[in-house]
């Protein structure tokens, strides 16, 4: 556990740190910090860098409740810090490839048609 030098001037903050190393895997840490703590101090306190050492080497993409945030952001009680992974596939390319595999008849708006109905209905 890292030592944090913050003057304790109020109630402690209960912070949640969430990271998904791979699809369908989520790791979560609960951290209690003194008021005035920053996002960087919460990451150091939760011990994520000991478990996932590769996060130290690359610049992190971070957010609080889905909003991108810098490491110097002061935290509030019940904040949820999220560490984002890089996308492996561009969503537009994935959709285009999926459509090409499925074909026009089995995808999209007209995927299910009634028997005997006109084309497009």
């Amino acid at each position: 556990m890292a030592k944090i030098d913050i003057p304790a001037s109020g109630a402690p903050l209960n912070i949640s740190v969430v990271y998904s190393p791979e699809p369908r895997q989520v790791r979560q840490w609960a951290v209690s910090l003194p008021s005035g703590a920053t996002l960087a101090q919460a990451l150091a306190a939760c011990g994520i860098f000991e478990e996932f050492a590769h996060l130290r080497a690359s610049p992190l993409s971070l957010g609080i409740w889905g909003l991108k945030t810098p490491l110097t952001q002061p935290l509030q009680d019940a904040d949820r810090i999220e560490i984002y992974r890089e996308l492996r596939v561009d969503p537009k390319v994935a959709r285009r490839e999926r459509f090409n595999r499925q074909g026009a008849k089995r995808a999209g708006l007209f995927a299910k048609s009634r028997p005997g109905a006109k084309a497009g209905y």
Side-chain angles (χ1 to χ4, degrees), residues 10 14 19 27 48 68 99 104:
N14 296 314
Y19 175 60
R27 289 279 293 121
I48 190 170
K68 285 188 98 174
F99 182 81

Side-chain angles (χ1 to χ4, degrees), residues 4-110:
I4 301 178
D5 300 324
I6 304 172
S9 59
L13 304 174
N14 296 314
I15 306 296
S16 174
V17 179
V18 180
Y19 175 60
S20 175
E22 294 188 23
R24 295 179 181 83
Q25 286 185 2
V26 178
R27 289 279 293 121
Q28 185 168 354
W29 296 265
V31 181
S32 184
L33 298 169
S35 63
T38 63
L39 198 128
Q41 293 164 331
L43 291 177
C46 77
I48 190 170
F49 297 119
E50 285 77 33
E51 190 170 341
F52 300 102
H54 67 276
L55 291 177
R56 289 181 198 247
S58 61
L60 294 176
S61 180
L62 303 165
I64 296 177
W65 291 110
L67 299 174
K68 285 188 98 174
T69 328
L71 283 170
T72 56
Q73 175 74 28
L75 299 172
Q76 297 177 0
D77 192 34
D79 273 349
R80 175 187 163 110
I81 299 171
E82 300 161 348
I83 302 170
Y84 306 118
R85 286 183 281 128
E86 292 292 323
L87 291 177
R88 294 187 180 162
V89 179
D90 182 23
K92 289 181 183 179
V93 172
R95 182 174 183 265
R96 190 175 305 123
E97 289 175 359
R98 195 170 50 248
F99 182 81
N100 288 336
R101 270 195 322 268
Q102 292 174 348
K105 300 243 183 214
R106 293 182 33 212
L109 205 58
F110 306 111

